[in-house]
Amino acid sequence: MFIDQVVIQVRGGDGGHGCVSFRREKYVPLGGPNGGNGGAGGDVYLRVDPERNTLVQFAHQQRFEAESGANGEGQGKQGAKGADLYVDVPPGCVVRDVRSGDVLGDLTEPGQTLLVAKGGRGGRGNEAFKSPTRQAPRFAEKGAPGERLRIELELRLLADVGLVGKPNAGKSTLLSRISAARPKIGDYPFTTLQPHLGVVQVDDVHSFVAADIPGLIEGAHEGAGLGHEFLRHVKRTRLLEHLLDGMSMDPVTDYAEINHELAAYDPELASKPQIVALTKQDLPDSREMLPLVREALGDQVPDILGISAVSGHGMSELLHRIVDALAALPEEEAEEPLYVFRPAEKDPRAFEIRRVAEDCYRVIGQEIERLAAMTDWSNQEAIERFERILVARGISEALEQAGVTFGDTVRIGHYELEWQ
Ligand code: GDP
Ligand code: MG
């Protein structure tokens, strides 16, 4: 199976916890606070590896997590930062956030990277909370949890070769035959016509991607809505493999008609170089046709191949001609501008209050949820600090306006508080 779409989970490393510690010196009963900060968690990046051309690796692993930061220690010692994690992907990968559907990036250039999950920042040690009014804070922050995201990778193979020809010429059969050695044909969900792409492995070093374009031409008459995306593939093909039906009454007219349709559809497509082959050479009628077609088209196409996807006749020669022709053609010219969408930045301090039950409220907000996760709930001073943040951010007031009363439950992230 050719995998062209996967969903994976990425998770930045958690931040290390801040430390509560005090200087201990001889004859000094209680020294100042010296608990160090936790280290930040590592980030998760996707990185383009030009050696890859499938998403097959993700069949075995779908979860990726960067290293957590180390905890802070006494004597002001900072925790080490967690290592970043690089996940290699093939070029041509579009990355989406599954939850929002936002496109996070389009990975095309070798070595290009995309940050997909940030590590959490390290919690501050008690040294950081020392102030003129609080000489001996006995609490520290916990590390922030790393960002977690489900992302979808969609691989868009760039087709090198487009298969064209009249309906029944044998395009689909050829594609399944030549990519059968490594069955990597995937349906692309862009159109109702279900165009096909296949990776053709000719030998150890040579491979190319072929697209069954005809659906495009056939569908154009019926006005079938063709995906923008697919058209992009087709335009990027460097070579057309033009198949003539060996069992057609008139392959010569077929040839002219297809070229005419190509030009009408897109002149750029029509100007691509072509390799022409007459199909179904396992059948006597088709074999009789070959010299006639060669004769009639000799001026325009000097070397028409005879092939049969059924018997395998002419297959090897066809594939090597394609490989040679591709090698002689320039690599794709001017790239279209790459697009990278970044979701609009949200104000991290924005919050929302929802009444989820008679006596239960939920506070939803990126920053406040993170701060709740960073609070050490077993420590009274840390809890008091969190309460001050609720007041400072206007969350307490908003809760009261929403109707919170004494004894109600307030949920923030994974934590529950009883309203006092
Ligand atoms: P497409 O419309 O161009 O995709 O053509 P298909 O691949 O669907 O083939 C049309 C018909 O021709 C099918 O019935 C195939 O089985 C048949 N066909 C394709 N290639 C060959 C071949 O090499 N030899 C024979 N005998 N039949 C073939
Ligand atoms: Mg077909």
Side-chain angles (χ1 to χ4, degrees):
M1 186 182 57
F2 178 65
I3 298 177
D4 60 2
Q5 205 185 37
V6 292
V7 171
I8 61 171
Q9 275 191 40
V10 287
R11 186 172 171 181
D14 293 337
H17 301 321
C19 170
V20 177
S21 163
F22 294 92
R23 238 190 311 277
R24 242 170 295 174
E25 288 161 32
K26 259 185 186 166
Y27 313 120
V28 181
L30 185 60
N34 71 352
N37 303 334
D43 302 327
V44 182
Y45 293 87
L46 301 183
R47 177 174 57 196
V48 177
D49 174 4
E51 300 288 302
R52 291 174 197 269
N53 58 9
T54 72
L55 296 174
V56 111
Q57 54 177 314
F58 297 108
H60 313 294
Q61 195 185 353
Q62 290 97 29
R63 284 163 176 272
F64 298 89
E65 186 174 343
E67 195 186 13
S68 293
N71 296 336
E73 290 175 38
Q75 298 174 343
K77 219 176 136 201
Q78 308 273 328
K81 185 186 180 313
D84 295 337
L85 178 68
Y86 287 86
V87 178
D88 285 326
V89 299
C93 238
V94 175
V95 187
R96 284 193 187 79
D97 178 351
V98 170
R99 205 160 130 193
S100 66
D102 290 335
V103 174
L104 303 178
D106 189 355
L107 289 167
T108 53
E109 301 302 314
Q112 191 184 345
T113 59
L114 177 72
L115 174 63
V116 284
K118 257 196 94 50
R121 77 170 166 82
R124 282 171 292 178
N126 68 336
E127 190 170 8
F129 294 104
K130 187 180 165 182
S131 69
T133 55
R134 191 166 51 202
Q135 291 294 318
R138 286 165 206 280
F139 70 97
E141 258 175 345
K142 295 206 287 177
E147 219 179 345
R148 286 183 204 199
L149 215 62
R150 272 172 18 104
I151 57 176
E152 178 199 83
L153 307 179
E154 184 188 79
L155 175 61
R156 304 171 174 204
L157 286 173
L158 302 182
D160 303 299
V161 180
L163 291 174
V164 296
K166 288 256 169 174
N168 280 323
K171 301 171 299 281
S172 303
T173 310
L174 176 68
L175 188 63
S176 62
R177 162 101 198 189
I178 59 182
S179 44
R182 277 191 169 191
K184 288 176 177 171
I185 298 179
D187 285 347
Y188 265 57
F190 307 136
T191 75
T192 51
L193 289 171
Q194 301 276 344
H196 287 85
L197 291 184
V199 177
V200 182
Q201 191 79 39
V202 179
D203 53 41
D204 285 351
V205 279
H206 296 103
S207 67
F208 60 86
V209 177
D212 192 353
I213 297 183
L216 175 86
I217 313 293
E218 288 157 22
H221 291 304
E222 296 134 34
L226 285 157
H228 222 76
E229 317 291 341
F230 186 62
L231 200 58
R232 230 169 65 156
H233 279 296
V234 169
K235 280 196 156 188
R236 281 173 163 177
T237 60
R238 294 150 67 201
L239 179 70
L240 297 179
E241 172 53 46
H242 191 152
L243 296 187
L244 303 177
D245 185 353
M247 297 305 283
S248 161
M249 300 300 286
D250 187 358
V252 176
T253 304
D254 294 347
Y255 173 76
E257 282 181 9
I258 286 291
N259 282 333
H260 184 75
E261 279 183 88
L262 282 173
Y265 195 85
D266 181 357
E268 202 186 315
L269 201 55
S271 67
K272 306 224 184 239
Q274 295 189 358
I275 291 178
V276 182
L278 189 73
T279 63
K280 311 187 187 176
Q281 286 291 291
D282 54 294
L283 302 174
D285 285 357
S286 174
R287 283 200 295 275
E288 267 171 43
M289 190 60 92
L290 186 59
L292 305 178
V293 174
R294 279 183 171 154
E295 170 81 38
L297 291 179
D299 297 342
Q300 305 165 60
V301 196
D303 46 5
I304 297 174
L305 262 174
I307 62 166
S308 166
V310 168
S311 70
H313 174 83
M315 277 301 131
S316 164
E317 172 155 19
L318 174 69
L319 297 187
H320 283 101
R321 266 203 209 178
I322 292 175
V323 166
D324 291 346
L326 287 175
L329 285 168
E331 282 287 328
E332 215 174 290
E333 342 78 71
E335 270 281 336
E336 295 166 54
L338 305 175
Y339 64 92
V340 174
F341 297 107
R342 271 271 162 207
E345 288 285 338
K346 291 186 198 111
D347 177 6
R349 291 198 173 188
F351 65 89
E352 187 190 328
I353 289 169
R354 281 195 208 147
R355 187 169 194 169
V356 289
E358 180 64 27
D359 53 0
C360 182
Y361 296 77
R362 179 175 273 292
V363 181
I364 298 163
Q366 197 183 322
E367 190 196 51
I368 199 67
E369 286 180 34
R370 190 167 52 83
L371 287 172
M374 292 176 81
T375 297
D376 176 1
W377 294 96
S378 63
N379 181 310
Q380 190 55 34
E381 277 186 50
I383 294 173
E384 281 164 16
R385 173 167 175 269
F386 186 76
E387 286 167 359
R388 284 194 296 279
I389 292 171
L390 286 181
V391 173
R393 297 277 192 275
I395 296 175
S396 291
E397 198 186 327
L399 275 165
E400 272 157 17
Q401 272 168 14
V404 174
T405 51
F406 189 84
D408 285 355
T409 303
V410 173
R411 291 203 186 123
I412 305 177
H414 301 296
Y415 303 91
E416 279 194 357
L417 330 177
E418 195 184 291
W419 199 250
Q420 307 272 347

